[in-house]
Amino acid sequence: MGIDGSDAAINAAKWAVAEAASRDIPMRLIHAIPEPQPGAPEGDAGLDLEFAETALRTAAAEVHAMGQPIKVEAEVVRGPSDRALIDESRNAEMVCVGSVGIGWVARKVLGSTADAVARQAHCPVAIIRTTRDGSPVGSDSGWIAVVVDDSAGNDAVLEHGFREAQLRGTPILALGAWRWGVGEIPYRQLNRRLGPWVSRYPDVHVRPAAARRGVAEFLAGTEEPIQLAVVGSGAAGDVARMIGPATPHVRRHAGCSVLVVRG
């Protein structure tokens, strides 16, 4: 869990509490500070460390205040934050980072850290969207949108999608990504792909939807409230568009959090 002192990072940590509790594993909070540079003022390193420790204490306190029986670990690490999180991902169940809404400069506003981690991490990556006023988007309402197709890694996407839906008591919007004719969803293929997961998670409500032009395009045009989109690693490059604009148009997609799953 990457902590940088922002409300976005704290909101992501709060979102991740349910993940840690359901898996009965510790939540590990890290803050990356730069490596010491030759000739840099001595006080700079001390200020970096002080800020990092304060940010970690604040995040840990917010997590503990939620009252869940989880262990919280915190550590200051050195080096670029994206590289630190990618290294951590080798032994993690999931990496979580925060993000504000995306403006017209997409990846710059998403942040190079979130973008790099979404593309290169060795485990699933959750990028939790936060609005400019610091509040989380769709934390307790809306659909979980899950990509359904015939790609090799789609079972992993479905597994994580259904797990998230059960964990958070949320219905699934199953996005059929086959490129069929207008108004046509390949229900036979969709039912075949979903059947085993519906049987395994009978309490999860599922509704099909067509996403022939891709998930990012679907999310950009839908008026359905989406709290989380679960996608495969092939869609990592579209994360910025899925996160959505910082100031959405009325009655259009307000953006959502994204879970990128490695197949």
Side-chain angles (χ1 to χ4, degrees):
M1 177 72 241
I3 299 297
D4 61 4
S6 67
D7 288 340
I10 289 176
N11 282 329
K14 290 180 176 179
W15 183 91
V17 166
E19 300 293 332
S22 68
R23 291 172 167 84
D24 192 25
I25 56 176
M27 176 184 289
R28 179 167 163 78
L29 309 177
I30 68 166
H31 182 110
I33 61 176
E35 295 281 3
Q37 297 297 315
E42 292 184 7
D44 287 357
L47 289 174
D48 286 341
L49 182 59
E50 181 180 353
F51 179 84
E53 291 174 342
T54 299
L56 289 171
R57 281 196 301 270
T58 299
E62 292 279 357
V63 168
H64 284 306
M66 297 182 69
Q68 292 294 317
I70 63 171
K71 180 181 179 181
V72 179
E73 302 172 353
E75 183 177 357
V76 179
V77 298
R78 292 193 177 274
S81 54
D82 54 351
R83 180 48 51 193
L85 288 168
I86 292 167
D87 287 345
E88 292 279 335
S89 75
R90 297 179 185 278
N91 300 305
E93 291 283 333
M94 182 182 292
V95 170
C96 297
V97 294
S99 176
V100 296
I102 305 304
W104 66 275
V105 287
R107 271 185 208 151
K108 281 189 177 179
V109 183
L110 173 62
S112 58
T113 296
D115 186 57
V117 175
R119 293 168 180 269
Q120 300 175 42
H122 302 279
C123 68
V125 177
I127 302 172
I128 307 306
R129 187 187 193 277
T130 297
T131 59
R132 286 198 181 280
D133 65 3
S135 60
V137 170
S139 57
D140 57 1
S141 64
W143 299 86
I144 290 182
V146 182
V147 175
V148 186
D149 59 26
D150 53 3
S151 65
N154 192 236
D155 276 335
V157 173
L158 290 171
E159 180 178 7
H160 279 81
F162 274 86
R163 188 183 185 284
E164 290 297 330
Q166 183 180 65
L167 178 62
R168 301 179 190 280
T170 303
I172 282 178
L173 197 61
L175 304 183
W178 289 273
R179 297 178 183 274
W180 281 48
V182 176
E184 194 173 355
I185 303 175
Y187 284 106
R188 184 176 298 176
Q189 288 92 327
L190 198 60
N191 288 336
R192 174 177 57 81
R193 295 291 298 121
L194 291 171
W197 302 102
V198 171
S199 298
R200 187 179 302 183
Y201 295 89
D203 296 333
V204 175
H205 172 68
V206 180
R207 193 184 93 187
R212 286 175 294 274
R213 293 193 298 165
V215 181
E217 287 294 331
F218 176 89
L219 293 176
T222 187
E223 294 183 5
E224 296 285 355
I226 309 292
Q227 64 168 278
L228 177 71
V230 184
V231 303
S233 56
D238 287 330
V239 165
R241 295 177 63 200
M242 296 180 209
I243 295 290
T247 53
H249 298 296
V250 177
R251 296 181 59 78
R252 303 303 290 178
H253 174 56
C256 63
S257 300
V258 179
L259 176 58
V260 180
V261 178
R262 296 291 179 270

